[in-house]
Amino acid sequence: MSLNLLGLDRKRFEALCAEMGEKPFRARQIMRWMHQAGVSDFGAMTDVSRLFRERIAASATIAAPEVLRDTTAPDGTRKWLFDVGTGNAIESVYIPEGDVDDGTPAEEAAGRRYRGTLCVSSQAGCALECSFCSTGRQGFNRNLTAAEIVGQLWHASRSLAATLGIERPITNVVMMGMGEPLANFDNVVVAMQLMLDDHAYGISRRRLTLSTSGLVPAIDRLREACPVALAVSLHAPNDALRDQLVPINRKYPIRELLDACLRYIEKAPRDFVTFEYVMLAGVNDSVANARELVRTVKPVPCKINLIPFNPFPDSGYRRSGSEAVSAFRDVLIQAGLTATVRKTRGDSIDAACGQLAGRVQDKTRRVMRRMEGNPA
Ligand code: SAH
Ligand code: SF4
């Protein structure tokens, strides 16, 4: 298999150029063609010497994972399903906010803030088995390579630039798709370096968010290797409940997790951590749970993001009612915390965590069982 240049951060690409007897600026040139102009054909990189283009084309490629499906919801949310081989699919979701091009005169539109967020996957499946997560129910298949992680952003950027006619359609990235990004640490860090690099995507550290279920030692490593905005999947106000919902809590309990958050904030681009809290009816959504949550998170400067549960077949959970969510949020706000309720977007295309890929995967497994002679 030839080397996929989408997975080389600047340091690695410059080292490759040096090995090939070329100046380091060649790496930056090609990075801009690839990541900013969305070019995959070396022949089109007109300011790079022909000889070098031919040499690099002989040993390397520029290729994103193959698209299995590309769907856009009426609210503009767009989702890609990518094939990563051996029956595994992963997904990325683009969520626009504000107006891109609704026919408004330019001067009027200029005052409005446009934000385009891409939610990126880091693994095919996930080993951590959170009880309410459909990706977790699928089990773990494998880590994505850096090229497969960046490939999602590369493909989404060039497709959106073409359809929307804007130069930088993606202003924010969240590592919140399938998988636990800190369990694929090295590849995720290489991919994030490219997201941050001015010669690639140039996204600021504050607009790049990594979400983790709470791998404490890896949070400390991230602070040193690549501090970006941090979101932590808390989901429960105490260890007894979190042990059930997020089993990794048995290894790294809340107290240790909060200490890691405090250490992280010292070097983070933002002076708070976002705690995600999925609202599960009758499980973690009572006013008493909210009061306990206030006491639990008190030591950590934070914002709390309440996430309506996205149901999937046989999950065994229900989404909290809107009254329960409001009452819960009010308790947090009255205690002086910042709390928001995540909007559900792209419902009609199953744009929530792990849903569509889960279905394709189930189907692939059925087909494979049939091929092995065992009827599903
Ligand atoms: N593995 C990382 C990032 C991917 S999941 C993590 O767990 O943080 C991104 C977010 O979606 C996490 O907060 C996760 O707990 C949440 N999530 C998972 N399944 C969900 C569901 N069915 N409904 C709502 N949120 C869900
Ligand atoms: Fe993995 Fe995150 Fe899903 Fe938990 S919520 S199983 S860590 S993807």
Side-chain angles (χ1 to χ4, degrees):
M1 219 171 67
S2 69
L3 177 68
N4 191 344
L5 296 182
L6 285 182
L8 294 189
D9 59 13
R10 176 136 55 107
K11 205 176 62 192
R12 287 174 172 80
F13 204 162
E14 286 176 351
L16 175 73
C17 289
E19 260 171 52
M20 295 175 77
E22 287 284 339
K23 294 258 161 41
F25 80 88
R26 291 283 176 224
R28 301 196 287 272
Q29 263 181 326
I30 296 182
M31 280 171 67
R32 288 196 295 270
W33 279 111
M34 278 195 294
H35 301 294
Q36 295 180 355
V39 165
S40 57
D41 171 11
F42 294 103
M45 303 180 180
T46 45
D47 58 357
V48 181
S49 81
R50 180 132 171 218
L51 180 66
F52 184 47
R53 275 189 266 158
E54 284 172 7
R55 285 177 66 213
I56 199 152
S59 57
T61 56
I62 299 170
E66 194 193 322
V67 177
L68 289 173
R69 201 179 303 170
D70 174 350
T71 345
T72 305
D75 67 5
T77 303
R78 184 167 170 184
K79 171 157 166 158
W80 294 268
L81 185 72
F82 294 99
D83 181 8
V84 290
T86 55
N88 291 313
I90 53 141
E91 62 196 350
S92 318
V93 180
Y94 161 74
I95 305 142
E97 281 165 287
D99 297 304
V100 178
D101 179 13
D102 54 2
T104 316
E107 56 279 17
E108 222 176 286
R112 298 197 203 152
R113 286 256 300 284
Y114 162 77
R115 185 158 91 157
T117 302
L118 189 72
C119 177
V120 170
S121 294
S122 57
Q123 300 182 307
C126 182
L128 296 183
E129 299 186 327
C130 300
S131 60
F132 52 85
C133 172
S134 89
T135 307
R137 294 271 175 101
Q138 287 170 47
F140 176 66
N141 293 300
R142 70 170 173 84
N143 280 331
L144 299 184
T145 63
E148 287 167 333
I149 299 168
V150 172
Q152 299 167 58
L153 176 57
W154 182 79
H155 180 81
S157 302
R158 74 204 289 253
S159 313
L160 290 166
T163 4
L164 304 176
I166 47 174
E167 213 174 292
R168 286 200 56 198
I170 295 168
T171 57
N172 296 54
V173 172
V174 292
M175 298 300 301
M176 287 189 190
M178 297 175 74
E180 166 52 53
L182 293 184
N184 183 13
F185 192 91
D186 294 343
N187 293 334
V188 164
V189 166
V190 168
M192 293 202 306
Q193 299 289 12
L194 275 164
M195 294 171 188
L196 297 170
D197 198 309
D198 283 339
H199 298 282
Y201 299 91
I203 290 172
S204 84
R205 283 185 193 277
R206 305 156 65 88
R207 290 170 178 261
L208 172 52
T209 302
L210 182 143
S211 171
T212 179
S213 56
L215 303 187
V216 165
I219 293 175
D220 287 325
R221 282 178 72 200
L222 185 71
R223 180 194 58 190
E224 301 305 321
C226 189
V228 295
L230 186 68
V232 171
S233 295
L234 195 57
H235 303 320
N238 59 60
D239 284 324
L241 187 51
R242 194 164 190 268
D243 280 352
Q244 290 169 28
L245 302 177
V246 185
I248 194 69
N249 193 67
R250 294 173 204 156
K251 195 161 178 194
Y252 305 116
I254 292 178
R255 188 60 220 270
E256 287 178 31
L257 179 57
L258 298 182
D259 284 348
C261 291
L262 281 173
R263 291 193 293 275
Y264 191 87
I265 287 174
E266 285 167 23
K267 290 212 178 163
R270 297 192 306 195
D271 54 6
F272 62 92
V273 164
T274 302
F275 288 124
E276 294 158 283
Y277 195 102
V278 64
M279 298 293 289
L280 303 165
V283 175
N284 66 353
D285 67 343
S286 70
V287 163
N289 293 142
R291 293 203 181 108
E292 191 178 4
L293 183 64
V294 168
R295 291 193 296 275
T296 302
V297 301
K298 203 165 182 195
V300 182
C302 66
K303 290 188 179 173
I304 297 180
N305 196 203
L306 302 175
I307 314 176
F309 170 63
N310 290 304
F312 55 92
D314 304 323
S315 74
Y317 291 107
R318 282 175 303 116
R319 182 182 282 190
S320 303
S322 54
E323 278 169 24
V325 175
S326 305
F328 196 98
R329 188 197 51 200
D330 290 348
V331 171
L332 303 180
I333 290 176
Q334 275 156 23
L337 291 165
T338 305
T340 49
V341 180
R342 184 175 297 173
K343 271 186 276 172
T344 47
R345 299 283 305 265
D347 271 353
S348 63
I349 56 166
D350 279 351
C353 176
Q355 287 182 334
L356 182 54
R359 273 180 213 170
V360 170
Q361 176 103 52
D362 289 348
K363 222 192 282 162
T364 321
R365 282 195 186 141
R366 274 203 301 276
V367 171
M368 293 202 3
R369 276 201 296 271
R370 229 173 283 143
M371 278 164 36
E372 288 161 4
N374 308 321

